[in-house]
Amino acid sequence: MCSLSKPLRQKIDRTKTINKPAKKPSLPPLNNICDIDTLRTLIKKNKVRIVDVRKKEDYLKGHIKTAVSLPLAELLANDDPESIIAILNKLGISENIPVVIYDDTFGALASRVAWSFKFVGHENVALLEVTYDTWRKLGLEIERKSNKYPKTSHPLKVDYSIFADAEYIEKAQNDKNKIIIDSRERLNFLTEHIPNSKNIPYTMLRSENSILRSPLELKRFIENRGIDSNNEIITYCGSVGTLSGLTFFALKTAGLSNVKLYPKSFKEWKSLGKPKTEFKDATYWDLSAE
Amino acid sequence: MAKSIEYDVLSSSKKKDQDTNEKWGLAEESEYFANKVKLYRQDKLNADEFRRFRLQNGAYGSRLNSEFSMIRIKVPGGDITPSQMEKIASLSESFSIGSAHVSTRQNIQLHWVQLEDVSEVFRGLAEVGLTSREACGNTIRNVMCSHFAGVCPNEPFDTTPHAKAIARFFLRNPICQNLPRKFKFNFSCCAEHGYVRIADVGLVPTIKDGIRGFRIYLGGGLGAASFIGHLLEEFTPESRLLSTSIATIRLYDRLGNRENLARNRMRYLVSEIGWEKFQELLLKERILVEATISIPTKTTFDGFLRSSSKAGDLAINQSTLNSRGKKLPVINSGSSNSPYDRWLNTNVVAQKQPGLYSAYITLGAGDITANQLRVLAECLREFSMEKKARTTPQQNFLIRYIKADQLPKIYNRLSGIGLGNPGANTIVSTVGCSGTTSCNLAITNSHRLAKEIQSKFLELNIDTDHDFVDSTIKISGCPNSCGQHEVATIGFYGGASRIGTSMVPIYTMLFAGSTGESGELGKAVMRVPSKKVIDVVMKIIEIYKKEKTNGEKLNEWIHKVSVGSGTNGVKNMEDMKKILSPIIELPPLTSAPEFYKDYGNDTNFVAKTARGECAA
C-alpha cells in the first residue's frame, strides 16, 4: 500500500519514546473520541478493550491488535439493556476498562455500538478517530488471531438521559428548547421527515481523514445553526440509529451535554403511522447526477 | 480529544496546486455572512435587507422553501483548478446534495444548502480562492470567456487575461454594487465561439494595424424580452477596454430603469432611448471617464491584466508547447463506432498549438457528482499541461492542452466514472436550466427533460451522425432564458396550459437561434406538451432527413425553414406546424394521465411559482 509519510513517522516514533518511561497508574477516562496515539498507548499498556464492529469475516482477515469482534448485526438482533450487558460480559468488558470502537465505514456503525454501551452504563467508551482502512493504510498494528478475554460481570445502570422513543419525540416536537435532528442526507430529508426536525446530514460531520471534524469546527457548525448548550438535542436517522449515532457523538464532541438518540428512528416512526412533513413543491431528485 | 489530522500518506496528490489558485474569495466574508444569518434569525435584520445582502453574496433562495439556498460559485472566465474542484466536491457532500451543477454562465452551483450552513461553504470556497460574491444581485455577474480562449485556431489573441482583469476590477467595486439590475460581460475568442450578442457587454477580439482591440457589442440579453447587442464602433483598442466598460456601467447606473423590475436590464434602456442615442451618450461618457480616470485606477487595471497574462503563461511550460506536432489522432475515423472513437469524433478538438487537443466532458444538464469531480481533478493534474479546466456555456467542462498520445488514457479514466459520454459538439449535449428542481421561477422540469433527451439521443447513437454536429437543444423552465433557449437550433421554454379541464406542463418551441458574433434569436414555432417534446424532436429529425439537400446539417436546414426558404414539403414554419400538429395531440386524461404530468412528478401538474430573486 502506501508508505508512511515523514510527519506521521515522527508522530509514531514520538509515541514510542514517550511510552517507555511513562508509568502513570491511571489514565483519564476516554471522552467520546480516541485518537490514534492514545489508542496505541493503551494497547501497549494492555489497558483497553477494542471492539471491532465489522462483519465477522472481515475481522478474521485482520483487525487492530487485541480487538474483539462484535458485528453490529449481532447487537442489533437483540438490543434490550440485558442483552447488551450480556454482550459486554461475553467480550470481557468490566465496568472501568476503557473501550474503543471502530468500523470500516465512517464511524456510524461504531457509534451505534458505543451509544449502546453508554446506554447500559459503560461510560468509559470512545470511537476511534479513524476507520480500520485508514489504520491499516497507516501501517499500524494489526493481527489476525481471534481474541478472547475472561468473562466479566458488568453492572446494569441504564442511562435513560441519552435515550428517546417515539413518544418522547412527539412531546419534544413543540418544545422550543428541544431540537430534533435528522441525520440523513439532504434529499431524503426533503422528501420526508419528522415534523419540526432540522437536518444535519451525517456527511457534514466527517473530515477528509477522520470520522469527525475537529471539536472547534463542529462547535462552529452548531453555533451557526443557532444551537447552544441550553438545548436538548434528539437525533434520529433512517432505520437503526447508526447515522444518528455518529451525530450523537459529534454533538457530544462539540460540547453539548444533553443529547439523546432515537435508536428506532424514522423506520419505526413511519411504521407507527406518525405524521411526516413531505416537501413536494420541487423535483430536487432530478438534480442528482447519480 | 481528537486533533485535526492530516496524513500526506493518504492524499498523495493533494494541495500541490493550492497556492497557485487566484484569490477571489475572502475568508472574512464567511464570518460576516454567518453573523448576518444570526441577526436575521433573531429578527434583528428585516427580510428584505437580508435578502439583498444574501444575494450580493451569491446565495439564492431555493424553490418554495426559504430554509435552503442555492450557492452560485463564480468561475471567472470559466477557469477552474483541480484543488478547486476537489473542494467543491467535498463541500457538495458536506452541505449540499453530493453533486454540483454547471450553469450556462460558467458558474458552478450548489443546491439545497441549509441557510445556516452557507457561511461554511463560503469559508471552504475562500480556502481555494473561490467566491460567490456578486454571483447574484444587481451587480457584475460572473465574467464569461470562451472556453477556447488561448487555444482557438481562429483567435487573434487570448482574451482570458482581459476577462479576468475586468472580473477583478469590478468585484467588490463600489461603482457597481447597486446597479438597476444585473450586468453581464462575455468575452469571445473569435467570431464564432462567444455568446457576445446576448450580453450587456460582448467582446470579440481583433487586431487592427498591429494593435490589439475588440469589437464591442452592447445591450444584448435574453429574458422575457430578448435583444441582440449593437456594435459600438468598428474597433475599440485594448487601451480603451477599461474606460469603455466603466462608461457603460456609469451610463446604465444613471439612466437605467429602477422602477419597473421587468424592464430594468440595460437592453431595455438601449431599446427605449434608441441605439443611436445610447451610443452617442456612451461615447461622450467615455471621454469624460478618460479625462477623469485616475492614474492609480488605470495602473491597477493594467496590473490585473498583466498578472492574469502572466498566470496564464506560467500554467503552461511554453518550451514544451512548440514540440513537433504529433500525428493527428483519428478524428473522423468514420467506420469505427467504438465508444472511444465516438468520443474522439465529437468531444476532442485540435488546438492552435500543434499536437495538442482539448476534450469535452459531456455532462447531463450540467450535473456532476462529487466523486466525478475528484476524478476530473486527477485527470487535469495528470493529462492537462495547463492543469486546469474550463466550464462551458453548454454546461460541460473542457480539458485543454492534452497531448495526442494521452487521449486514450484520459478517455479510459473518464469513461470509468461515467464522464466519457460522446456528443459534446452535437445536438446530443442538451442544455437545461435547473427548472423546478430548485428554482422559484420555474414552471416546468426543464432539467430532467434535458437529461431525458440526451439519454434518448445517446441510445439512438445520434452523436455518430455528422448531420447533427453544431446543432443544439436548449431548454428553460420558464420564459426567463437561463437555459438560453433563444440561441438554440431548437429551443424550448416552459409554461402551463389548460387542456380540457386539466393544467398541463407545456413548452414553447423556437427554431433557429444561434450564438457567435452573427448570433440570432430563435423564432417561436408552437407549443408542445412536456411529455410530447421528445416525440416532436424525433419527428423534426425524421422530416429533416427526408428534406435535406446536399449534405446540409440540421441547424442549416432549420434556419432555412425559419426564413421561409425550405424546399418541397416544408417551405416555412407554417408547413412545419402542420406536420407536427398531430404529434402534439394528447390522449384523453382518463386513458393516459401520465401525459398530463411533468417529468419527475407523479402528482397532477400545478403551475406553482414564487417571487424570483434575479432582481434583488
Side-chain angles (χ1 to χ4, degrees), chain A residues 2-5 7-8 11 14 31-33 35-37 129-130 134 137-138 185-187 189-190 198-199 201 203-210 212-215 217 220-221 223-226 253 279-290, chain B residues 1-11 14-15 34 37-38 63-65 67-68 90 93-101 111-114 116-117 119-120 123 367-369 372 434-438 445 447-448 451 599-603 608:
Chain A
C2 310
S3 64
L4 275 182
S5 67
L8 191 81
K11 194 177 177 185
R14 199 180 58 234
N31 197 2
N32 297 311
I33 187 124
D35 64 62
I36 290 176
D37 287 354
E129 66 173 335
V130 295
T134 305
K137 279 184 182 161
L138 289 169
E185 289 180 47
R186 181 64 31 88
L187 294 181
F189 174 80
L190 287 173
K198 300 277 179 196
N199 185 212
T203 50
M204 262 175 80
L205 309 174
R206 61 180 176 223
S207 70
E208 197 181 341
N209 290 321
S210 175
L212 289 179
R213 293 176 188 260
S214 74
E217 259 185 306
R220 199 178 63 230
F221 286 9
E223 272 173 19
N224 286 341
R225 292 295 192 96
T253 308
F279 180 54
K280 291 184 167 174
D281 283 337
T283 49
Y284 35 85
W285 282 101
D286 289 330
L287 269 174
S288 166
E290 299 285 359
Chain B
M1 276 283 111
K3 291 162 222 133
S4 133
I5 41 176
E6 279 178 24
Y7 304 130
D8 292 353
V9 64
L10 297 175
S11 45
K14 296 284 159 62
K15 287 158 196 137
V37 172
K38 280 176 201 157
R63 181 175 173 81
L64 300 161
N65 195 330
E67 283 289 297
F68 298 95
S90 73
E93 279 176 335
S94 295
F95 303 105
S96 175
I97 60 167
S99 42
H101 172 80
H111 291 277
W112 298 101
V113 177
Q114 175 84 34
E116 281 81 354
D117 297 343
S119 58
E120 288 304 321
R123 181 185 296 268
D367 291 338
I368 184 163
T369 65
Q372 288 174 330
S434 58
T436 53
T437 65
S438 89
N445 191 348
H447 197 72
R448 170 75 174 271
K451 290 182 177 182
Y599 283 100
N601 216 325
D602 49 16
T603 53
K608 242 190 205 175

Side-chain angles (χ1 to χ4, degrees), chain B residues 193-266:
Chain B
H193 292 131
Y195 284 48
V196 291
R197 300 299 293 274
I198 55 161
D200 291 287
V201 183
L203 306 98
V204 183
T206 177
I207 291 181
K208 193 182 166 197
D209 303 330
I211 297 170
R212 286 176 169 198
F214 299 92
R215 286 191 297 278
I216 299 183
Y217 293 89
L218 299 173
L222 303 183
S226 303
F227 294 93
I228 285 288
H230 304 267
L231 181 63
L232 174 65
E233 56 199 350
E234 279 312 310
F235 181 76
T236 309
E238 189 183 32
S239 58
R240 301 186 93 169
L241 170 60
L242 180 65
S243 59
T244 311
S245 302
I246 294 179
T248 310
I249 288 161
R250 277 175 49 142
L251 194 62
Y252 170 52
D253 189 40
R254 206 158 63 232
L255 302 180
N257 188 332
R258 287 179 191 270
E259 306 297 316
N260 183 354
L261 270 182
R263 299 188 65 80
N264 51 13
R265 290 291 301 276
M266 191 174 82

Side-chain angles (χ1 to χ4, degrees), chain B residues 137 183 240 270 296 301 338 370 433 455 597:
Chain B
F183 196 87
R240 301 186 93 169
V270 172
F301 181 76
S338 75
C433 67
S455 316
K597 295 169 182 167

Side-chain angles (χ1 to χ4, degrees), chain A residues 21 30-31 84 103 105 191 239 243 250:
Chain A
L30 295 169
N31 197 2
I84 298 169
D103 62 23
T105 49
T191 308
S239 58
L243 303 179

Side-chain angles (χ1 to χ4, degrees), chain B residues 257-497:
Chain B
N257 188 332
R258 287 179 191 270
E259 306 297 316
N260 183 354
L261 270 182
R263 299 188 65 80
N264 51 13
R265 290 291 301 276
M266 191 174 82
R267 60 178 185 268
Y268 296 104
L269 171 65
V270 172
S271 127
E272 271 158 29
I273 66 175
W275 168 247
E276 279 74 26
K277 179 78 182 160
F278 184 90
Q279 184 185 32
E280 185 196 326
L281 288 172
L282 180 60
L283 294 174
K284 270 190 198 159
E285 184 76 18
R286 185 169 67 183
I287 292 170
L288 259 166
V289 168
E290 285 172 352
T292 54
I293 197 167
S294 72
I295 291 167
T297 303
K298 182 94 180 78
T299 333
T300 303
F301 181 76
D302 291 343
F304 290 158
L305 194 53
R306 266 199 312 277
S307 62
S308 330
S309 312
K310 222 185 278 167
D313 291 346
L314 277 178
I316 311 141
N317 183 348
Q318 294 292 337
S319 66
T320 50
L321 267 190
N322 302 323
S323 60
R324 73 269 172 268
K326 272 246 164 63
K327 229 180 90 188
L328 271 171
V330 268
I331 300 213
N332 283 327
S333 59
S335 56
S336 164
N337 261 341
S338 75
Y340 174 66
D341 284 335
R342 280 172 69 174
W343 177 78
L344 204 58
N345 287 337
T346 55
N347 285 40
V348 177
V349 193
Q351 296 183 185
K352 70 176 178 188
Q353 295 83 1
L356 292 175
Y357 298 86
S358 297
Y360 282 105
I361 312 296
T362 326
L363 303 177
D367 291 338
I368 184 163
T369 65
N371 281 336
Q372 288 174 330
L373 274 170
R374 291 193 181 102
V375 172
L376 188 52
E378 278 169 26
C379 284
L380 296 182
R381 289 198 183 95
E382 201 170 332
F383 302 109
S384 161
M385 289 163 63
E386 64 175 351
K387 301 199 189 310
K388 288 194 283 188
R390 300 269 179 137
T391 48
T392 85
Q394 289 266 110
Q395 301 177 298
N396 296 324
F397 283 102
L398 186 74
I399 308 183
R400 321 184 317 164
Y401 289 95
I402 310 167
K403 290 180 185 156
D405 58 352
Q406 304 282 309
L407 288 168
K409 290 182 206 158
I410 195 170
Y411 173 75
N412 280 340
R413 192 76 70 81
L414 292 169
S415 59
I417 188 143
L419 291 177
N421 275 335
N425 65 7
T426 78
I427 198 167
V428 171
S429 181
T430 314
V431 167
C433 67
S434 58
T436 53
T437 65
S438 89
C439 177
N440 261 329
L441 291 169
I443 303 164
T444 56
N445 191 348
S446 45
H447 197 72
R448 170 75 174 271
L449 177 58
K451 290 182 177 182
E452 294 284 339
I453 292 176
Q454 185 179 9
S455 316
K456 179 84 181 170
F457 282 169
L458 283 172
E459 185 190 308
L460 296 171
N461 298 349
I462 293 277
D463 60 281
T464 59
D465 188 336
H466 190 70
D467 286 345
F468 302 109
V469 169
D470 295 335
S471 291
T472 52
I473 290 182
K474 302 187 183 203
I475 310 169
S476 304
C478 77
N480 289 304
S481 285
C482 295
Q484 302 181 334
H485 56 267
E486 283 173 289
V487 292
T489 310
I490 308 175
F492 294 94
Y493 71 88
S497 198

